[in-house]
Amino acid sequence: MNNLPSDISLLVVEDNAFQRKVLMHQIQALGYRVPLEAADGEAALALCQQQQVDILLCDLRMPGMDGMALLRRLSLNGFRGGIILVSALEEDVVEAVRRMSDAYGLRVLGRLDKPASLGRLAELLASWAPDDSRQQAGTGPLIEAADLARALALGEIVPWYQPKVSLATGEWLGVEALARWQHPTLGIIAPARFIPLAEESGLIDPLTEHLIEQGLRDLEGWLAASSTIRLSMNLSSVSLVEGDLCDRLLALCESRGIAPELITLEVTESAFVKDLGQSLERLSRLRMHGFGLSIDDFGTGYSSMQQLNQLPFTELKLDRSFVDRCHEDPVRLAIIESTLILAHKIGLKSVAEGVEDEGTWDQLARLGCDECQGYYVGHPMPRDQLALWHSRWRATGPVPRA
Ligand code: C2E
Ligand code: CA
Ligand code: CA
């Protein structure tokens, strides 16, 4: 594995020397090695041909070969690294460039504003993982299924918890469990790096079961202190069509004496379109036994209103791509507003994920969204940090509106 920050090679392409230096400085402050730099597309292309570049941070507006032309050339050259679009241009322009890059088969990690926030930069850089074809090309050791199986056996895969709170009162309502691999030498590994491998290698059900067991044990502890806490877990699409995890879930709850009503299972929209019949059967059975069902990343996938109506969901989770700074963007706001109306009309609880600032919080509260999850409230954290988070949140969190 070569995902240590100091092993990743970065290239900053930005014509403005001052902005370039600021970004390079921020990258180094996050523990990455000194990035390569280029002042225009030509120079960047030449560098990419001479040396390995894992992540390219690309300005769009540059004299000569601009960002768009550079991306096209990179794609023709078979560039396999991650790309971060750095731009102060309007959201819809950057979105169009992102779609163009997707069409060229490039891997865009996300968009960074100017000036870049350090947190957002850290998040985008951390989201990069070498893809399989690169790994097979021998540019770095693989995470193999055997590594993951060993990690599972050694208890290195653990749930971290991100708080969910009421937008009306600020009250702590529950947590979403998010998988983390506490690797003995590489530190914390994000789920994007091992969940797809787990899905491909038949390890996803044991992994999820392991997380659920830990989640239920932790929930038991929180319930002793507050009976209103709920636990949300992510279910992979694989578990909706293969294996017997869904049946095991009920047994796990029974063995701990925890009512399924306290558990919400989050599935993405794309998960249940893979095999609608099979998914529908399993989701209906889970719902029948009392589990809550949440439609995750709502708005990014394939779901039609008809599917929403067909499937027994109890909660709708607005994807963070719409939520983030929705108060500054009329289009996002319109999407959120109509989705919330829809959710309320069909009796679904609404949860906004990815709330990062007060402006977004206020806007969602005004629109009557039920619950909020995001860095503004709290980052995902190990379970023993939740009590401290809660006491801080009670002291400083948003004051309920009259
Ligand atoms: P997700 O279910 O959509 O989870 C939300 C992701 O957004 C989490 O990333 C969380 O850390 C991040 N996030 C939360 N608040 C904010 C915010 O305010 N701003 C930003 N920028 N990000 C925020 P994470 O933990 O890296 O998980 C990524 C994805 O991996 C999850 O997306 C989920 O699809 C998958 N995943 C995580 N744990 C599991 C698991 O146990 N099983 C399965 N099947 N998938 C999992
Ligand atoms: Ca989720
Ligand atoms: Ca999501």
Side-chain angles (χ1 to χ4, degrees):
M1 286 177 282
N2 67 340
N3 220 13
L4 276 181
S6 55
D7 288 340
I8 297 174
S9 70
L10 295 112
L11 166 60
V12 175
V13 194
E14 162 68 67
D15 60 312
N16 180 307
F18 175 71
Q19 288 178 355
R20 191 168 68 237
K21 293 294 174 205
V22 170
L23 196 50
M24 291 175 64
H25 182 75
Q26 287 180 308
I27 288 169
Q28 288 171 74
L30 291 170
Y32 291 82
R33 65 164 111 127
V34 184
L36 301 165
E37 55 181 311
D40 60 42
E42 302 277 1
L45 198 59
L47 277 172
C48 288
Q49 280 159 349
Q50 289 154 12
Q51 357 201 344
Q52 152 134 11
V53 171
D54 294 315
I55 306 178
L56 183 133
L57 294 96
C58 186
D59 183 22
L60 294 181
R61 201 146 57 180
M62 293 181 289
M65 186 193 287
D66 65 14
M68 262 103 64
L70 171 62
L71 292 169
R72 179 165 43 79
R73 295 291 299 276
L74 283 171
S75 128
L76 289 173
N77 289 355
F79 181 71
R80 315 271 333 152
I83 291 164
I84 297 176
L85 303 172
V86 187
S87 179
L89 294 171
E90 285 96 48
E91 185 64 30
D92 51 350
V93 178
V94 181
E95 200 42 47
V97 176
R98 182 203 269 271
R99 277 200 295 274
M100 175 202 86
S101 310
D102 286 347
Y104 284 148
L106 295 168
R107 296 170 62 203
V108 177
L109 304 175
R111 178 246 173 101
L112 202 58
D113 265 336
K114 285 186 187 180
S117 99
L118 200 59
R120 175 79 178 140
L121 177 63
E123 182 199 359
L124 288 178
L125 293 175
S127 71
W128 178 81
D131 73 7
D132 289 340
S133 47
R134 270 179 46 115
Q135 291 182 332
Q136 274 146 19
T139 47
L142 288 161
I143 298 184
E144 312 247 20
D147 296 329
L148 189 56
R150 209 174 304 119
L152 260 177
L154 291 172
E156 289 172 11
I157 313 283
V158 296
W160 278 23
Y161 297 105
Q162 186 174 34
K164 293 166 86 175
V165 300
S166 157
L167 269 154
T169 63
E171 185 194 358
W172 181 30
L173 299 174
V175 292
E176 177 178 1
L178 293 157
R180 295 291 182 269
W181 182 347
Q182 296 182 324
H183 195 281
T185 53
L186 298 175
I188 304 299
I189 302 180
R193 286 209 65 202
F194 59 87
I195 296 285
L197 174 65
E199 288 174 335
E200 284 159 24
S201 59
L203 287 168
I204 190 66
D205 278 5
L207 185 150
T208 311
E209 182 162 344
H210 178 70
L211 290 171
I212 288 171
E213 279 172 345
Q214 295 178 74
L216 292 179
R217 182 201 59 203
D218 292 337
L219 178 64
E220 211 169 38
W222 301 320
L223 287 172
S226 160
S227 59
T228 55
I229 299 304
R230 304 285 179 268
L231 173 68
S232 295
M233 308 274 325
N234 293 285
L235 265 196
S236 159
S237 57
V238 175
S239 307
L240 288 181
V241 289
E242 292 167 19
D244 64 350
L245 181 78
C246 293
D247 303 324
R248 292 275 306 129
L249 259 165
L250 191 61
L252 288 169
C253 282
E254 273 170 1
S255 71
R256 286 233 164 233
I258 287 183
E261 283 76 8
L262 303 180
I263 314 291
T264 297
L265 302 165
E266 300 189 359
V267 294
T268 58
E269 294 179 66
S270 51
F272 48 79
V273 293
K274 281 199 178 159
D275 182 339
L276 190 59
Q278 177 75 267
S279 309
L280 193 53
E281 179 186 338
R282 292 191 165 175
L283 289 171
S284 305
R285 189 173 303 120
L286 289 167
R287 183 73 204 102
M288 186 179 78
H289 286 293
F291 291 97
L293 294 180
S294 176
I295 178 165
D296 207 350
D297 298 348
F298 186 82
T300 60
Y302 310 82
S303 74
S304 62
M305 299 298 159
Q306 197 194 357
Q307 269 166 1
L308 253 189
N309 209 16
Q310 271 176 1
L311 292 158
F313 285 102
T314 56
E315 178 185 285
L316 183 153
K317 228 170 157 175
L318 283 164
D319 189 69
R320 70 167 190 263
S321 58
F322 303 114
V323 169
D324 184 27
R325 285 170 298 153
C326 60
H327 57 296
E328 293 168 2
D329 181 334
V331 177
R332 287 183 202 191
L333 201 55
I335 295 174
I336 294 208
E337 218 165 339
S338 52
T339 308
L340 287 175
I341 291 171
L342 169 77
H344 290 174
K345 280 223 163 107
I346 60 178
L348 298 182
K349 184 161 74 185
S350 49
V351 182
E353 70 172 15
V355 176
E356 294 190 1
D357 55 39
E358 193 176 1
T360 307
W361 169 286
D362 286 343
Q363 182 66 67
L364 290 161
R366 267 197 297 276
L367 291 176
C369 182
D370 298 316
E371 295 186 14
C372 169
Q373 181 182 343
Y375 296 167
Y376 179 62
V377 176
H379 286 249
M381 61 191 94
R383 81 189 150 124
D384 43 3
Q385 288 177 18
L386 267 172
L388 180 62
W389 163 81
H390 190 211
S391 58
R392 288 210 181 119
W393 174 253
R394 265 194 309 216
T396 60
V399 180
R401 299 179 165 273

